Amino acid sequence: MIYADVADIPLDRAPLLHAGEVLVVRSGAYTGDSAIVTEEWSGSAPGYDLRLTPEGVDSRYLSYSMLSAGVLQQIDVDKSRAAQPHLNAEDVGNVVIKLPGREEQQRIADFLDARTAEIDLIQCLRKKEMSLLQERMSASLVEKVLPGSDLPGWRRTVVKRMFDTCRSGFWGEEPSGYESDVVCVRVADFRRNSYRAGLDAETMRSVSPDQLRLRRLSPGDVLLEKSGGGEKSPVGFAVSFDGDRVAVCSNFLQFLRPAKGVDSRFAALVMSALYRSSRNIPFIKQTTGIQNIDLGGYLSQQLSIPDLRRQQEISITLDREIELTSSLGSSVSLQMERTEERKRALITAAVTGQIDVTTARGADLP
């Protein structure tokens, strides 16, 4: 959330928002998305988005109409005319909607308020279910690889002694189209639910033979995010490299190669558990808006690890749990997608007169 001094806002050109106005995203990945301004946000600055101030139309009805399939199709055509998705006021002003009488607008809005509230509650519960799945998986991960006390057969060490190599990634140069082009794994390629990365990485960079010799990744290497992060996802996430092509990692990453006697997957899961238990937080340094992790301090933390055979057993057990959690999460995500589709279909049917909202409750609706 961004705050501004009201004295710095050109109120003559961009007056503060009022409840009932509709904001439409002007450009970017979410171009065309819209939402009604509620009382909670009344008095906020409009920012760069387009604003619709209803006149002679129920504001809620207008808001729902902007979410209907027909309107979104019109917007898709308009926003695709530029190289980057973009809308201007004329584009939105030319959008055609079905406009019944004011009383019918209010009945439709009342109906949709009630029905979408029910749907939104279901979606909220499913999001909570997703969150609980991840919390349970994280708790199991930490419990299995970072036990609270020393267990029989486990030995004390420091994190850095689990690795033979600790080296920074390399961004390289623009792709040349020749043999020097290799895959470059980025933080964006991290599959955070499975703690892996590389298999589906697509970014190509040109890397010299000398740099490649120093920084070529091997399956099982641990990739640690050393720079980047954000408020909701602090720096320090770690994954196993599972790519099957010649690859390096970006300069925002550190690659760690497990030492002899350390199972590579176990090492990655240990680094992931350190992150999930927030043991990365004390070592984060914030500079110019970018988080950096103090590698020296972070890798000097003490922990206990079992023998190689036990490491492998734990890794297999955790990967099974990760796979199960991922499968359950995918099922919940699919349910959410289908529910959202039904919500959009319901809105479209209501604002285009395909259903009679005065007799619709309890009927077999989308």
Side-chain angles (χ1 to χ4, degrees), residues 5 16 54 73 82 90 143 179-180 214 223 255 297 362:
D5 190 326
L16 300 180
Q73 288 171 2
E90 184 179 0
E143 179 185 6
E179 293 181 357
S180 60
L214 287 173
L223 306 182
F255 79 87

Side-chain angles (χ1 to χ4, degrees), residues 107-303:
R107 280 195 292 270
I108 292 171
D110 289 342
F111 168 78
L112 288 175
D113 280 349
R115 292 301 299 268
T116 58
E118 295 170 358
I119 293 171
D120 290 344
L121 177 58
I122 293 172
Q123 295 293 65
C124 181
L125 293 174
R126 284 177 175 155
K127 286 180 181 178
K128 185 175 182 179
E129 184 180 0
M130 291 279 284
S131 178
L132 290 173
L133 283 171
Q134 289 304 319
E135 287 177 12
R136 186 177 66 179
M137 184 65 249
S138 295
S140 180
L141 171 65
V142 173
E143 179 185 6
K144 287 181 172 62
V145 303
L146 295 177
S149 58
D150 290 342
L151 299 176
W154 290 55
R155 60 181 175 85
R156 297 292 290 176
T157 187
V158 295
V159 176
K160 62 185 176 183
R161 290 179 186 162
M162 296 175 61
F163 305 99
D164 275 341
T165 302
C166 177
R167 194 164 291 156
S168 177
F170 183 68
W171 185 232
E173 305 294 336
E174 290 295 322
S176 63
Y178 296 102
E179 293 181 357
S180 60
D181 291 353
V182 300
V183 173
C184 185
V185 183
R186 305 173 300 147
V187 174
D189 299 314
F190 283 12
R191 306 195 301 279
R192 291 177 178 257
N193 290 340
S194 63
Y195 304 102
R196 298 181 185 274
L199 194 60
D200 50 3
E202 297 181 351
T203 302
M204 303 296 292
R205 303 294 291 176
S206 178
V207 178
S208 70
D210 288 343
Q211 290 290 354
L212 186 60
R213 190 161 39 250
L214 287 173
R215 293 178 166 83
R216 179 172 177 172
L217 298 177
S218 297
D221 283 349
V222 178
L223 306 182
L224 171 66
E225 181 193 22
K226 65 176 183 177
S227 297
E231 182 180 351
K232 295 184 179 180
S233 55
V235 71
F237 202 87
V239 296
S240 295
F241 172 67
D242 65 353
D244 56 3
R245 294 176 291 170
V246 178
V248 296
C249 61
S250 79
N251 55 315
F252 276 40
L253 301 177
Q254 195 84 359
F255 79 87
L256 312 170
R257 185 156 294 155
K260 184 178 180 181
V262 177
D263 178 70
S264 60
R265 182 58 173 161
F266 181 82
L269 293 172
V270 166
M271 299 305 296
S272 299
L274 289 173
Y275 183 88
R276 291 302 189 193
S277 57
S278 300
R279 288 173 62 172
N280 59 316
I281 301 299
F283 301 96
I284 293 177
K285 311 296 181 184
Q286 185 91 28
T287 57
T288 63
I290 296 178
Q291 296 178 3
N292 297 287
I293 198 158
D294 173 12
L295 285 171
Y298 189 49
L299 299 180
S300 294
Q301 296 184 84
Q302 292 194 348
L303 46 69

